[in-house]
Amino acid sequence: MKIFCIGRNYVEHAKELNNQVPDEPVIFAKPDTALLKRNKPFFIPDFAKDFHYEAELVIKICRVGKNISRKFAHRYYDEVALGIDFTARDLQAKLKAKGLPWEKAKAFDGSAVISPYISKEKFADIQNISFRLDKNGETVQKGNSSLMIFPVDELIAHLSQYFTLKIGDLIYTGTPAGVGPVSINDRLTGYIEDEQMFDFLIK
Ligand code: ZN
């Protein structure tokens, strides 16, 4: 399976990192070894100093598709989860400054936290789902999919021009404002609407 991530899909987050609001989706990928499931702890790697959480809604693909039109994109996903796109922000800044790819800062082992999945049928509108991340009991990120620059169906249409989507592929749809660092012993708890989706420790 493949893991796609969308960068800068919320205006306020693009601004907080001094990035331009993009005119087409910013896409990168992670290997399946990045997945961190079942509330396992995140062990801070030693190749960088400044690891940031980015809480994101995640869409799971349920059909094979290529060149999917926006109109039919909703048929290609059936489940939603909450994830964290962990980022070595200091290393990413170095790579960006040199114009190099981000993988070492974004795609390392454990960098893609994933919660259990919820059927999309549970939501009246995929583009009106609220989610939040608490760090040590305090809310640090609050988002709603209505604020995405590129909505889910458009992301699927765009991605599938380049990549065949397959069953089980995941799309991390971008993070709202409020990203920040983690330290050892922090506890991260994520919610979709009022449902707790994950709860794990930083080690
Ligand atoms: Zn992200």
Side-chain angles (χ1 to χ4, degrees):
M1 52 84 69
K2 306 185 286 300
I3 303 169
F4 294 107
C5 300
I6 310 302
R8 306 170 195 169
N9 203 21
Y10 289 82
V11 172
E12 294 305 319
H13 170 63
K15 281 188 193 161
E16 75 180 342
L17 294 184
N18 294 316
N19 288 316
Q20 279 190 329
V21 174
D23 51 18
E24 62 176 62
V26 174
I27 291 165
F28 56 96
K30 304 193 188 218
D32 58 3
T33 43
L35 285 176
L36 187 63
K37 305 175 188 174
R38 292 183 285 275
N39 290 328
K40 283 193 191 147
F42 175 75
F43 288 90
I44 296 181
D46 42 17
F47 54 73
K49 293 263 177 300
D50 189 23
F51 287 86
H52 277 196
Y53 54 78
E54 296 188 356
E56 315 198 353
L57 282 181
V58 180
I59 300 297
K60 192 181 196 182
I61 297 297
C62 62
R63 266 174 91 157
V64 176
K66 170 88 181 160
N67 291 321
I68 301 163
S69 71
R70 189 174 165 165
K71 190 166 77 171
F72 296 120
H74 64 96
R75 298 182 183 175
Y76 288 81
Y77 58 95
D78 59 354
E79 290 180 305
V80 177
L82 190 67
I84 292 186
D85 163 24
F86 271 119
T87 305
R89 194 71 72 201
D90 49 350
L91 178 55
Q92 186 194 28
K94 275 187 216 164
L95 296 167
K96 276 162 89 173
K98 293 184 189 163
L100 293 172
W102 297 353
E103 273 83 350
K104 290 205 285 187
K106 281 281 199 185
F108 53 87
D109 288 359
S111 62
V113 174
I114 190 74
S115 76
Y117 299 91
I118 306 178
S119 164
K120 74 169 183 189
E121 309 303 333
K122 281 207 170 176
F123 304 100
D125 179 0
I126 202 85
Q127 293 307 142
N128 188 16
I129 300 176
S130 66
F131 59 101
R132 71 171 214 266
L133 180 71
D134 289 3
K135 184 170 98 168
N136 305 325
E138 226 172 275
T139 299
V140 287
Q141 285 195 282
K142 255 185 169 172
N144 187 292
S145 56
S146 61
L147 300 172
M148 287 179 184
I149 299 168
F150 303 104
V152 172
D153 290 358
E154 197 170 326
L155 293 175
I156 286 174
H158 188 83
L159 274 166
S160 68
Q161 290 177 47
Y162 300 85
F163 309 103
T164 299
L165 299 182
K166 295 175 81 172
I167 295 167
D169 286 352
L170 299 177
I171 305 172
Y172 284 63
T173 57
T175 195
V179 301
V182 290
S183 348
I184 289 173
N185 294 327
D186 279 347
R187 178 175 184 175
L188 295 182
T189 314
Y191 298 82
I192 291 182
E193 307 287 357
D194 288 324
E195 189 170 342
Q196 187 178 298
M197 300 301 293
F198 57 67
D199 181 23
F200 67 95
L201 293 171
I202 309 297
K203 299 269 190 182

